[in-house]
Amino acid sequence: MTNASSANMENVIEEKNQDMAISARNINVVYSTPTGQIPAVRNVDIDLPKGSITGIIGESGSGKSTLIMAIMNAVTKPGKIESGSVILDGKEDMLKLSTEQQRKIRGKKIGFVFQAAQNSLNPLRRVGQQILDLGRSHDVKDLRALIKYAKELLMRLGLDADRVLASYQHELSGGMRQRVGIMFALVLNADIVFLDESTTALDMLSQASVLEIIRELQKEKKLTIALVSHDIGVIADLSERIEIFYAGEIVEEGKTDDVLANPQHPYTRGLIRAIPKISGDIDSAEPLKGASPDYKTYQQPGCLFYDRCPIRTDECLKKRPDLTHIGKSHKVACFRVGVHD
Amino acid sequence: MIEIKNLEKYFTIKAKFSDRKIVHAVRRASLTIPDGGAVSLIGESGCGKTTIGRMLCGMETPSEGTIIINGQDISKLRRGARARLLQKIQLIHQDPYQALNPTHTIQQMMSATLKKMARQKKKGAEWISQRTNELLKLVGLDPSTILFKYPHMLSGGQKQRVIIARALTVEPEMLVADEVVSMIDVSLRLGILKLLRSLREKFNISILFITHDIASARYLGSNTELYVVYKGMIIEKGLTEQVIRQPHHPYTQALLSAMPILKGIEKPGKDRFVLTSQFRQSEEEQVGCLFADRCPFSQPICSEKRPELISQGNSTDAYACFFPEIRDVAAVSVDH
């Protein structure tokens, strides 16, 4: 007991030492549907340390994108943020600001790139015009400098800047649009960037080069990045910390290599075993059993992973485990830590 | 056994208002798929891998070259005979969300094709329902819960399984699986890959697996061959595991290097490199190696002459490069 509490103390100190770009506490998001209220995100605490890349992994429908939207206070109906706080830079609470203040922050301080970048570009205006629109709506005085900076970024991203600025979105390929999306996220010097499945639609080679560019820019500009994906490969390659999301809750978090080399939650273990890998024994790979969580899963009081868990006990059905420390920065939400299947 | 010899495909597309442009989509592609064998085609989008698959299913007509199925050249057959032969080759699409009719239940969908089979075999309605159950069980679905559902009630993985079951109704000898796992959640991909593998092993169904993810090509079972396609040309081929561990062509190496590394489980190969230049559909026909403009190891001769796909010592390996060199680029497991 004393050991555990002293470990906790250490962690508290460590967390305080590192500045958080975003510190979200107790986030709850609920979707109202004809079948009842579905908690898409439940009691999630998440910290994005300044200048680091955090990866969030989850199946489709696990609520990972909703969490990002909640952090930006941009959840749309029928979703609703029930409670929580999102502290930016240890100062203001994103969930309490006025809409105008929020709008100023989104884009200027927080940049975001979505999965379908083509849907976030205006089909009727050239890319260059859209940069000017963005600048005007954020009261940028020197629009000429903005365009110059946009060009520089596009060049960095390996694009022909003049051509891109003069094109409509349909004239660009998927990979180019995704890069344009990244440029838009960075052009106002945002220091926090959310990338929501932003490389999923890309080809292998363009994905690799976009990831490489993100890595470079992050180092150079000390960006804080939250990377959301269902592809564990992308996240494992890029992020320093990793959050495993299941049915609206974080079930495991920690340093990436730590979690991957030594996964403790049965879901994390199953997920790692279930991905097609380029290395290792192919016969040891096994698909994850059971079906993805549905609305019935959310209503039970016990552990959300109970149905699919190979090491469940009766206790798991009655109570839901909390996220608890098992190492320096490694946390798991499971009663059966240490039990192997 | 299926043999494709020197297949060529040109598409004429509208370039500008009245201009027409010819795209050379497939260049002298040859491949052989033995009964119960598996071949994977790997390449970027737009490299022509899907076109090869579509020509094999009879959905495109090759501009040149021959496709021989069980010893019969399909271009020389009459229409009826060709249709019967092509029934043995079934295509599974990339997008399970669009391949099912949203107004039909799974049962309606399965029995539609089974009725035709029943007529050929002179069997009754009982055979149809029995066969439906059998096939759904085979692909890992529970018939009693799924038969009366509409496609929108199924998850992506379940839809893909239904599509495979439907393809099996006509008792095919070969499945053309075009990016079957790319739209499915990572955690469910392995299930589909294992299913394809078991179809090979149990029923001797051969598989043409079209993908851009090299890792999933490893899971199709033993003796699978990997063909790497670039701009319509096969630039390297060999046994899957061997190509991954000992790639000769720089493009294959670039693809392998592009695989993300699972930190903590894997470490990158020592010669890993990232290709930054973009894939371009060039305006003029290139004379030299198709990959020369992007290749980090290209020499002057590469843009003057095009290397042919030449078999090496043993018969399975071949690569089209003037300066082949084995580079260690694929990730390897970290030992614990």
Side-chain angles (χ1 to χ4, degrees):
Chain A
M1 194 63 214
T2 44
N3 269 340
S5 62
S6 70
N8 266 339
M9 282 298 290
E10 260 174 46
N11 279 302
V12 172
I13 293 162
E14 194 198 43
E15 275 175 22
K16 278 221 173 113
N17 282 345
Q18 197 167 12
D19 284 341
M20 295 298 164
I22 282 181
S23 178
R25 285 286 168 273
N26 202 24
I27 304 272
N28 279 287
V29 182
V30 176
Y31 279 100
S32 313
T33 65
T35 44
Q37 300 242 309
I38 294 179
V41 174
R42 182 144 51 180
N43 296 337
V44 168
D45 293 349
I46 189 170
D47 286 316
L48 304 181
K50 256 189 193 153
S52 77
I53 305 182
T54 307
I56 302 172
I57 302 182
E59 285 171 75
S60 37
S62 64
K64 51 196 193 307
S65 298
T66 309
L67 174 67
I68 295 299
M69 295 312 263
I71 290 175
M72 292 192 292
N73 199 0
V75 176
T76 47
K77 273 184 182 167
K80 192 173 164 265
I81 302 174
E82 292 246 295
S83 68
S85 65
V86 178
I87 309 292
L88 282 179
D89 276 341
K91 282 178 266 169
E92 64 266 282
D93 185 345
M94 189 71 186
L95 303 186
K96 294 210 175 78
L97 295 174
S98 71
T99 23
E100 183 55 23
Q101 281 170 311
Q102 280 175 34
R103 188 183 69 76
K104 286 271 155 70
I105 287 175
R106 293 199 284 264
K108 199 157 194 177
K109 173 139 188 66
I110 304 178
F112 41 86
V113 187
F114 293 114
Q115 174 166 14
Q118 58 270 42
N119 298 346
S120 44
L121 291 172
N122 186 339
L124 300 177
R125 287 175 76 70
R126 296 176 196 274
V127 173
Q129 290 171 319
Q130 290 182 57
I131 297 172
L132 293 175
D133 291 347
L134 182 77
R136 283 187 205 109
S137 67
H138 283 278
D139 305 324
V140 174
K141 300 245 162 46
D142 191 354
L143 289 174
R144 198 166 293 206
L146 186 73
I147 290 288
K148 209 175 146 209
Y149 185 50
K151 273 190 185 176
E152 198 188 309
L153 280 173
L154 287 171
M155 233 107 88
R156 283 289 300 278
L157 290 160
L159 297 176
D160 177 355
D162 290 308
R163 195 204 133 191
V164 170
L165 289 184
S167 341
Y168 292 100
Q169 62 121 324
H170 69 265
E171 296 172 316
L172 306 171
S173 74
M176 291 163 90
R177 276 179 221 158
Q178 210 56 264
R179 287 162 207 243
V180 169
I182 295 172
M183 179 274 292
F184 268 105
L186 295 172
V187 74
L188 290 177
N189 277 318
D191 48 11
I192 304 169
V193 181
F194 291 126
L195 300 167
D196 187 357
E197 302 272 14
S198 38
T199 58
T200 311
L202 297 183
D203 227 275
M204 292 280 295
L205 288 171
S206 16
Q207 169 172 298
S209 72
V210 169
L211 291 180
E212 199 55 40
I213 293 158
I214 293 172
R215 208 191 314 259
E216 270 172 34
L217 287 171
Q218 192 269 340
K219 269 204 197 115
E220 189 185 301
K221 299 182 192 298
K222 305 256 179 324
L223 300 172
T224 308
I225 294 181
L227 197 66
V228 178
S229 179
H230 69 260
D231 188 351
I232 200 167
V234 171
I235 292 202
D237 198 343
L238 212 58
S239 57
E240 290 148 45
R241 288 177 52 77
I242 194 167
E243 313 270 345
I244 317 277
F245 221 65
Y246 187 78
E249 291 186 4
I250 291 174
V251 294
E252 184 159 3
E253 64 172 32
K255 289 217 175 72
T256 306
D257 38 3
D258 223 18
V259 172
L260 289 185
N262 192 15
Q264 290 302 321
H265 197 281
Y267 174 64
T268 321
R269 274 208 290 272
L271 198 62
I272 291 172
R273 214 178 296 140
I275 38 172
K277 282 190 277 292
I278 194 104
S279 68
D281 184 12
I282 37 174
D283 293 317
S284 67
E286 226 174 285
L288 209 60
K289 288 192 184 66
S292 303
D294 55 13
Y295 69 98
K296 277 185 213 131
T297 317
Y298 296 100
Q299 282 154 357
Q300 49 149 330
C303 176
L304 293 164
F305 192 58
Y306 182 80
D307 296 337
R308 303 169 81 177
C309 185
I311 51 166
R312 61 192 175 188
T313 62
D314 291 344
E315 186 192 10
C316 307
L317 193 56
K318 289 181 206 122
K319 247 174 69 190
R320 194 167 298 177
D322 291 324
L323 207 56
T324 37
H325 279 285
I326 58 156
K328 219 168 167 213
S329 59
H330 195 161
K331 290 189 200 174
V332 184
C334 182
F335 293 124
R336 309 266 291 156
V337 173
V339 181
H340 279 259
D341 37 319
Chain B
M1 171 128 142
I2 286 156
E3 275 181 279
I4 292 177
K5 280 186 193 150
N6 295 335
L7 212 56
E8 299 258 1
K9 181 73 190 172
Y10 298 94
F11 285 114
T12 316
I13 55 164
K14 249 191 189 156
K16 274 177 194 147
F17 182 61
S18 60
D19 258 5
R20 279 176 200 284
K21 205 169 87 182
I22 288 173
V23 175
H24 201 166
V26 176
R27 300 167 203 254
R28 286 174 64 88
S30 302
L31 57 93
T32 312
I33 308 169
D35 288 333
V39 163
S40 319
L41 295 179
I42 304 272
E44 286 169 273
S45 27
C47 76
K49 56 191 194 301
T50 300
T51 310
I52 296 177
R54 285 173 62 89
M55 284 194 281
L56 193 53
C57 300
M59 294 173 77
E60 301 278 359
T61 316
S63 307
E64 263 169 65
T66 45
I67 298 174
I68 300 167
I69 302 170
N70 295 339
Q72 287 175 289
D73 184 342
I74 58 165
S75 63
K76 298 218 170 80
L77 290 176
R78 283 163 174 276
R79 211 159 138 200
R82 191 170 72 207
R84 269 195 298 282
L85 195 61
L86 287 174
Q87 189 185 312
K88 297 284 170 206
I89 302 177
Q90 288 295 315
L91 177 70
I92 302 165
H93 277 285
Q94 171 174 19
D95 189 351
Y97 297 84
Q98 283 176 13
L100 294 173
N101 186 338
T103 64
H104 285 190
T105 63
I106 307 306
Q107 189 182 30
Q108 285 173 310
M109 224 166 317
M110 295 289 290
S111 55
T113 45
L114 277 172
K115 265 179 203 155
K116 208 176 164 197
M117 289 302 286
R119 224 174 296 140
Q120 279 177 15
K121 289 178 182 275
K122 303 200 169 55
K123 297 265 168 82
E126 204 174 293
W127 182 81
I128 294 177
S129 68
Q130 186 202 333
R131 188 91 179 116
T132 306
N133 285 346
E134 199 180 298
L135 288 171
L136 287 175
K137 269 189 205 136
L138 182 70
V139 297
L141 295 170
D142 176 16
S144 58
T145 57
I146 219 155
L147 271 180
F148 302 100
K149 285 190 173 165
Y150 286 94
H152 74 267
M153 298 154 117
L154 306 177
S155 71
Q158 284 175 318
K159 273 184 211 163
Q160 202 60 282
R161 283 171 196 268
V162 168
I163 292 165
I164 294 174
R166 187 178 62 178
L168 293 176
T169 53
V170 295
E171 290 156 24
E173 286 172 12
M174 178 172 178
L175 293 177
V176 176
D178 189 357
E179 299 271 17
V180 280
V181 292
S182 63
M183 304 260 307
I184 295 172
D185 238 70
V186 176
S187 59
L188 302 172
R189 284 184 188 173
L190 204 64
I192 302 287
L193 294 173
K194 282 217 159 167
L195 173 62
L196 290 177
R197 182 178 173 173
S198 76
L199 291 176
R200 255 190 85 192
E201 285 164 359
K202 277 192 219 149
F203 303 97
N204 212 28
I205 294 174
S206 48
I207 288 168
L208 180 68
F209 189 73
I210 300 169
T211 183
H212 63 257
D213 178 24
I214 305 183
S216 46
R218 292 177 75 217
Y219 292 81
L220 291 173
S222 52
N223 266 328
T224 58
E225 278 190 284
L226 192 70
Y227 285 68
V228 185
V229 187
Y230 185 71
K231 288 191 181 172
M233 184 178 163
I234 293 168
I235 53 106
E236 179 155 12
K237 66 167 189 143
L239 289 170
T240 306
E241 211 62 27
Q242 197 167 350
V243 173
I244 291 174
R245 289 299 142 209
Q246 294 173 339
H248 286 83
H249 199 285
Y251 179 66
T252 316
Q253 291 160 1
L255 280 178
L256 286 163
S257 300
M259 298 284 300
I261 307 286
L262 294 161
K263 257 189 252 168
I265 306 177
E266 294 176 338
K267 57 175 191 269
K270 65 174 177 9
D271 304 322
R272 189 174 189 239
F273 61 91
V274 175
L275 207 62
T276 40
S277 55
Q278 285 274 305
F279 177 71
R280 278 200 188 91
Q281 214 45 279
S282 48
E283 298 291 318
E284 309 96 52
E285 185 60 33
Q286 283 160 278
V287 237
C289 174
L290 295 164
F291 188 56
D293 54 339
R294 292 170 79 190
C295 181
F297 312 105
S298 72
Q299 310 269 343
I301 186 177
C302 297
S303 16
E304 286 156 21
K305 241 175 84 186
R306 183 168 307 164
E308 295 277 319
L309 186 73
I310 298 166
S311 297
Q312 307 305 314
N314 59 26
S315 57
T316 46
D317 300 19
Y319 36 84
C321 183
F322 289 131
F323 305 98
E325 197 186 321
I326 296 176
R327 288 183 186 87
D328 179 14
V329 288
V332 285
S333 304
V334 178
D335 302 315
H336 285 297

